[in-house]
Every structure is written in structure tokens, then in C-alpha cells.
Amino acid sequence: MLAEAAMLNVERGAQIVDINMGCPAKKVCNKAAGSALLRDEALVETILNRVVSSVDVPVTLKIRTGWDMDQRNGLTIAGIAEQAGIQALAVHGRTRACGYRGSAEYDTIARIKRAISIPVFANGDIDSPQKAKQVLESTGVDAVMIGRAAQGRPWIFREIEHYLNNGELLPAPKAEEVEAILIEHLQALYGFYGDYLGVRIARKHVGWYLAGVSRDKDSNSHFGDFRKLFNSLDTAEQQLPAINKFFSSLQYDSKAA
Ligand SMILES: Cc1cc2nc3c(=O)[nH]c(=O)nc-3n(C[C@H](O)[C@H](O)[C@H](O)COP(=O)(O)O)c2cc1C
């Protein structure tokens, strides 16, 4: 099924196929997909071989370090992946049983990196330029992958890039730039998901952006009030001007302060 899905997607223009054996969600693992696959190494080998030989685009893989602390077979899976012709491996430094609890352990990622010769990406809990540098250096990986820290803060990538290249931290983006990025993001959400879903998905992203802005402010009540108001809006035509008005009030506040 995975090989067929890969072929259908390549026919439709996919330039790369990334297989996810990291997902911890119950509804996914109950069907023996996502990170549940890590428990069946023979099946992993079959899937990877079939997918790689079915398409002529690069196939990459994402894994966790294992199913649980007693079955931490990330290293074995990494070897299987390399043998199968996987072109890059992303490793989330937690087992499935860990969910998102505890902190990511980078030692296993470092061991995986040393054991195979395809590019390895470290993932898990990287939330700042300094942390990215530290993980790159301590594990020797080829790249880092960022998830939650990019929610509401998509400029984290340029912040990391700048820090790695110059050793200095970029100043936080100004409110006008955050507003411009957020508006562009919302328009992309409406365009991609359509008005009904787009408007609903926009609410959670706006929450994440505002959480970032409000960390720098003395009072959160202004943000809380706005979030409540924003979550009651049902159309893109209402959401966009509301964002605009909110950011104008911020600038007014910061001038008054
Ligand atoms: C809301 C949410 C959705 C996710 N969806 C996916 C997904 O579709 N595919 C995937 O490979 N990982 C997915 N992940 C996992 C992330 O890619 C990443 O491995 C995990 O969040 C740990 O990295 P972080 O600490 O940088 O967030 C998701 C994570 C979150 C929080």
C-alpha cells in the first residue's frame, strides 16, 4: 500500500517521499502505522525496500528512538533504512511511550549518526538558536528539524541560520513584520483549506503568534481579550481587519508606554 501511495503521489508531482514512523497518535498506532511500525523490523525492511524501488524520487524516513525504553531499536532501524536506500533519516529523540514527556535524548541520535553514512537530522525540543547549535555540535548530525518551536514563530529558521553563520542573535522581529507574516500566513490558510476550515485553523495559529508577542509584555489581559474576540469571528473578512486593528493598538500602546 505504501509503495502504491508513493507512486500515486510521484505521478501527481511529489519530488520527495517522506515516510513517517514517528507518529505517536493512538489512532495511527492502533492501525500498526506511525511509530508502532518500529516494533516490526521485518515489516519496516519490506516497506522501505518496496517504496524505494517503486519511485525514482528520494525517499526519506522519520523515526523515534524506539517503541519504549525496553525496545529502543532506533539504531537497528537506522541500519535497515540505510540498507534499503533511504536518503536521509530524521530522528525524534524520544520513544513512542515517552509521547512528548521528558526531554529529548540526543545520545541515541548521536549513536545513530555515527553508525550510518546517510544524512541524519536531529529532532525534539530544539527551540532556540543556541539549542540548535548545541545539538548540532553534540550529536554531529547534518541538520536539525524544528516542530513546535516554529508554531507562531516561523522566523526561528532565519534566527538559527544567522546564529550559526555569525554567532550572534538577531533582534526579535518588530510588530509590523510579525503582522505582515501573520496576514500572509492567514491568507495562505484560507487559500489552501478554504473559508470554513481555514478560518478555524487560523484561530490556533493566531493563538501561537500572540503567545510569542505577549511573552514580551507586562500584561496578558489585552491579548486574552483579543483571543476571545478573534475566536468568535467566523469569516476571513472579519478576521483580517481584526488582526490589523489589534496590531495598530499595540503600536499605540508601545508609543504611549
Ligand atoms: C501538532 C503536531 C503535529 C505533528 N504532525 C506531524 C506529522 O504530520 N508528521 C511528522 O513527521 N511529525 C509530526 N509531528 C511531530 C514533529 O514533527 C516533531 O517530531 C515533534 O513535535 C518533536 O519535535 P519538536 O520538539 O521540535 O516539536 C507533529 C507534532 C505536533 C506537535
Side-chain angles (χ1 to χ4, degrees), residues 94-106:
R94 286 188 175 86
T95 66
R96 193 274 171 172
C98 295
Y100 286 92
R101 289 181 304 277
S103 34
E105 39 105 13
Y106 303 111

PDB file of all heavy atoms in Angstrom, residues 94-106:
ATOM      1  N   ARG A  94      12.867  10.650  21.219  1.00  0.00           N
ATOM      2  CA  ARG A  94      12.008  10.072  22.254  1.00  0.00           C
ATOM      3  C   ARG A  94      11.473   8.740  21.757  1.00  0.00           C
ATOM      4  O   ARG A  94      11.362   8.534  20.552  1.00  0.00           O
ATOM      5  CB  ARG A  94      10.785  10.969  22.523  1.00  0.00           C
ATOM      6  CG  ARG A  94      11.053  12.221  23.282  1.00  0.00           C
ATOM      7  CD  ARG A  94       9.741  12.900  23.647  1.00  0.00           C
ATOM      8  NE  ARG A  94       9.977  14.053  24.488  1.00  0.00           N
ATOM      9  CZ  ARG A  94      10.247  15.269  24.020  1.00  0.00           C
ATOM     10  NH1 ARG A  94      10.287  15.493  22.723  1.00  0.00           N
ATOM     11  NH2 ARG A  94      10.470  16.259  24.847  1.00  0.00           N
ATOM     12  N   THR A  95      11.086   7.855  22.713  1.00  0.00           N
ATOM     13  CA  THR A  95      10.390   6.639  22.294  1.00  0.00           C
ATOM     14  C   THR A  95       8.911   6.976  22.143  1.00  0.00           C
ATOM     15  O   THR A  95       8.462   8.042  22.586  1.00  0.00           O
ATOM     16  CB  THR A  95      10.521   5.513  23.339  1.00  0.00           C
ATOM     17  OG1 THR A  95       9.824   5.918  24.519  1.00  0.00           O
ATOM     18  CG2 THR A  95      11.977   5.217  23.643  1.00  0.00           C
ATOM     19  N   ARG A  96       8.159   6.058  21.557  1.00  0.00           N
ATOM     20  CA  ARG A  96       6.717   6.277  21.426  1.00  0.00           C
ATOM     21  C   ARG A  96       6.104   6.405  22.822  1.00  0.00           C
ATOM     22  O   ARG A  96       5.260   7.258  23.076  1.00  0.00           O
ATOM     23  CB  ARG A  96       6.076   5.120  20.649  1.00  0.00           C
ATOM     24  CG  ARG A  96       4.665   5.391  20.197  1.00  0.00           C
ATOM     25  CD  ARG A  96       3.634   5.061  21.235  1.00  0.00           C
ATOM     26  NE  ARG A  96       2.325   5.524  20.837  1.00  0.00           N
ATOM     27  CZ  ARG A  96       1.222   5.232  21.497  1.00  0.00           C
ATOM     28  NH1 ARG A  96       1.252   4.505  22.571  1.00  0.00           N
ATOM     29  NH2 ARG A  96       0.067   5.703  21.072  1.00  0.00           N
ATOM     30  N   ALA A  97       6.562   5.544  23.765  1.00  0.00           N
ATOM     31  CA  ALA A  97       5.984   5.554  25.105  1.00  0.00           C
ATOM     32  C   ALA A  97       6.214   6.900  25.792  1.00  0.00           C
ATOM     33  O   ALA A  97       5.435   7.316  26.645  1.00  0.00           O
ATOM     34  CB  ALA A  97       6.580   4.426  25.936  1.00  0.00           C
ATOM     35  N   CYS A  98       7.262   7.606  25.412  1.00  0.00           N
ATOM     36  CA  CYS A  98       7.556   8.908  26.028  1.00  0.00           C
ATOM     37  C   CYS A  98       6.581   9.987  25.563  1.00  0.00           C
ATOM     38  O   CYS A  98       6.475  11.029  26.203  1.00  0.00           O
ATOM     39  CB  CYS A  98       8.968   9.363  25.687  1.00  0.00           C
ATOM     40  SG  CYS A  98      10.253   8.321  26.369  1.00  0.00           S
ATOM     41  N   GLY A  99       5.892   9.751  24.451  1.00  0.00           N
ATOM     42  CA  GLY A  99       4.990  10.788  23.922  1.00  0.00           C
ATOM     43  C   GLY A  99       5.780  12.061  23.697  1.00  0.00           C
ATOM     44  O   GLY A  99       6.765  12.077  22.957  1.00  0.00           O
ATOM     45  N   TYR A 100       5.364  13.125  24.402  1.00  0.00           N
ATOM     46  CA  TYR A 100       6.124  14.378  24.352  1.00  0.00           C
ATOM     47  C   TYR A 100       6.689  14.707  25.729  1.00  0.00           C
ATOM     48  O   TYR A 100       7.102  15.816  25.989  1.00  0.00           O
ATOM     49  CB  TYR A 100       5.236  15.519  23.834  1.00  0.00           C
ATOM     50  CG  TYR A 100       4.993  15.414  22.351  1.00  0.00           C
ATOM     51  CD1 TYR A 100       3.892  14.730  21.866  1.00  0.00           C
ATOM     52  CD2 TYR A 100       5.893  15.958  21.447  1.00  0.00           C
ATOM     53  CE1 TYR A 100       3.684  14.593  20.509  1.00  0.00           C
ATOM     54  CE2 TYR A 100       5.700  15.831  20.083  1.00  0.00           C
ATOM     55  CZ  TYR A 100       4.594  15.150  19.634  1.00  0.00           C
ATOM     56  OH  TYR A 100       4.404  15.025  18.284  1.00  0.00           O
ATOM     57  N   ARG A 101       6.660  13.681  26.637  1.00  0.00           N
ATOM     58  CA  ARG A 101       7.131  13.942  28.005  1.00  0.00           C
ATOM     59  C   ARG A 101       8.652  13.820  28.096  1.00  0.00           C
ATOM     60  O   ARG A 101       9.294  13.199  27.261  1.00  0.00           O
ATOM     61  CB  ARG A 101       6.485  12.935  28.971  1.00  0.00           C
ATOM     62  CG  ARG A 101       5.004  13.168  29.193  1.00  0.00           C
ATOM     63  CD  ARG A 101       4.448  12.143  30.165  1.00  0.00           C
ATOM     64  NE  ARG A 101       4.691  10.770  29.711  1.00  0.00           N
ATOM     65  CZ  ARG A 101       3.911  10.126  28.837  1.00  0.00           C
ATOM     66  NH1 ARG A 101       2.877  10.724  28.308  1.00  0.00           N
ATOM     67  NH2 ARG A 101       4.186   8.880  28.482  1.00  0.00           N
ATOM     68  N   GLY A 102       9.173  14.386  29.175  1.00  0.00           N
ATOM     69  CA  GLY A 102      10.612  14.316  29.401  1.00  0.00           C
ATOM     70  C   GLY A 102      11.344  15.126  28.345  1.00  0.00           C
ATOM     71  O   GLY A 102      10.707  15.810  27.536  1.00  0.00           O
ATOM     72  N   SER A 103      12.668  15.059  28.394  1.00  0.00           N
ATOM     73  CA  SER A 103      13.360  15.814  27.348  1.00  0.00           C
ATOM     74  C   SER A 103      13.951  14.845  26.339  1.00  0.00           C
ATOM     75  O   SER A 103      14.233  13.687  26.651  1.00  0.00           O
ATOM     76  CB  SER A 103      14.432  16.729  27.947  1.00  0.00           C
ATOM     77  OG  SER A 103      14.993  16.118  29.069  1.00  0.00           O
ATOM     78  N   ALA A 104      14.100  15.361  25.141  1.00  0.00           N
ATOM     79  CA  ALA A 104      14.634  14.522  24.062  1.00  0.00           C
ATOM     80  C   ALA A 104      16.041  14.081  24.446  1.00  0.00           C
ATOM     81  O   ALA A 104      16.809  14.848  25.018  1.00  0.00           O
ATOM     82  CB  ALA A 104      14.668  15.326  22.774  1.00  0.00           C
ATOM     83  N   GLU A 105      16.343  12.806  24.173  1.00  0.00           N
ATOM     84  CA  GLU A 105      17.712  12.360  24.490  1.00  0.00           C
ATOM     85  C   GLU A 105      18.509  12.299  23.183  1.00  0.00           C
ATOM     86  O   GLU A 105      18.132  11.624  22.234  1.00  0.00           O
ATOM     87  CB  GLU A 105      17.703  11.050  25.282  1.00  0.00           C
ATOM     88  CG  GLU A 105      16.667  10.015  24.857  1.00  0.00           C
ATOM     89  CD  GLU A 105      17.283   8.882  24.098  1.00  0.00           C
ATOM     90  OE1 GLU A 105      18.518   8.776  24.118  1.00  0.00           O
ATOM     91  OE2 GLU A 105      16.540   8.115  23.464  1.00  0.00           O
ATOM     92  N   TYR A 106      19.569  13.052  23.190  1.00  0.00           N
ATOM     93  CA  TYR A 106      20.316  13.212  21.947  1.00  0.00           C
ATOM     94  C   TYR A 106      21.444  12.176  21.799  1.00  0.00           C
ATOM     95  O   TYR A 106      22.023  12.055  20.729  1.00  0.00           O
ATOM     96  CB  TYR A 106      20.883  14.638  21.863  1.00  0.00           C
ATOM     97  CG  TYR A 106      19.803  15.697  21.961  1.00  0.00           C
ATOM     98  CD1 TYR A 106      19.701  16.526  23.069  1.00  0.00           C
ATOM     99  CD2 TYR A 106      18.850  15.836  20.945  1.00  0.00           C
ATOM    100  CE1 TYR A 106      18.690  17.477  23.169  1.00  0.00           C
ATOM    101  CE2 TYR A 106      17.842  16.776  21.042  1.00  0.00           C
ATOM    102  CZ  TYR A 106      17.768  17.591  22.157  1.00  0.00           C
ATOM    103  OH  TYR A 106      16.764  18.514  22.245  1.00  0.00           O
TER     104      TYR A 106
END
